[in-house]
Amino acid sequence: KDCLNCTEKATEVLAGPITILVLGVLATIAYLTLRQRAWVQKLLEKYEEALLALTNYMTLMFIMWQIIVNLQTVSTARAGPQYPEIFRRVVAVFEGITIDIFEILHLDCHIEGHNYATKLYATTMLSVGTTGLTLAD
């Protein structure tokens, strides 16, 4: 991987995550504002099961794409063959939805000796720590 020059490519690196963050905040504000309306509450109650099923399907799709997007990285890290160009192009479209702090912030450019094993270790520990904080009361 080539490291990006901070002065010339900073907006390209942060554009996707910032856009997703802003859209998420706006959607949350819209949801919290509209939920207080009586007609929206009736609509939510009427379609509660459908919305729950939709939420479950969307979660499943999100997790599936997290795995698919990282297949290329894992295969390359294990000295395996690269996937065909068409697969890499399709996956590149969905790379914006990954929750990979190392890729979003390009930490591999700033951390000496960084490889896939350190990324896997850090990601696992972050998940375990977050789960521990969530379950601790």
Side-chain angles (χ1 to χ4, degrees):
K1 278 192 169 183
D2 295 328
C3 291
L4 300 174
N5 185 349
C6 294
T7 56
E8 61 186 49
K9 299 256 183 173
T11 55
E12 291 179 24
V13 171
L14 296 176
I18 289 173
T19 303
I20 292 170
L21 179 67
V22 168
L23 289 175
V25 168
L26 290 176
T28 303
I29 291 171
Y31 173 76
L32 293 175
T33 303
L34 287 175
R35 188 176 175 137
Q36 297 175 4
R37 309 271 183 185
W39 64 272
V40 175
Q41 287 179 353
K42 288 179 185 177
L43 192 65
L44 289 174
E45 289 173 7
K46 181 178 179 182
Y47 294 107
E48 182 178 7
E49 287 185 32
L51 289 173
L52 181 62
L54 179 65
T55 304
N56 291 337
Y57 291 137
M58 294 302 289
T59 303
L60 182 65
M61 292 296 291
F62 183 75
I63 292 169
M64 180 191 70
W65 279 107
Q66 293 290 314
I67 294 168
I68 289 174
V69 165
N70 287 308
L71 282 176
Q72 175 75 21
T73 307
V74 172
S75 178
T76 305
R78 297 196 57 150
Q82 292 211 347
Y83 285 93
E85 181 65 28
I86 191 160
F87 177 81
R88 288 184 287 179
R89 286 184 184 175
V90 170
V91 168
V93 172
F94 293 100
E95 281 184 339
I97 64 168
T98 60
I99 305 176
D100 190 355
I101 194 72
F102 290 95
E103 290 293 323
I104 292 171
L105 299 177
H106 293 278
L107 294 178
D108 50 348
C109 296
H110 306 292
I111 299 173
E112 189 73 29
H114 171 72
N115 59 21
Y116 185 77
T118 57
K119 176 181 165 183
L120 180 64
Y121 179 71
T123 304
T124 303
M125 294 311 295
L126 180 65
S127 300
V128 169
T130 305
T131 303
L133 289 174
T134 303
L135 297 176
D137 282 322

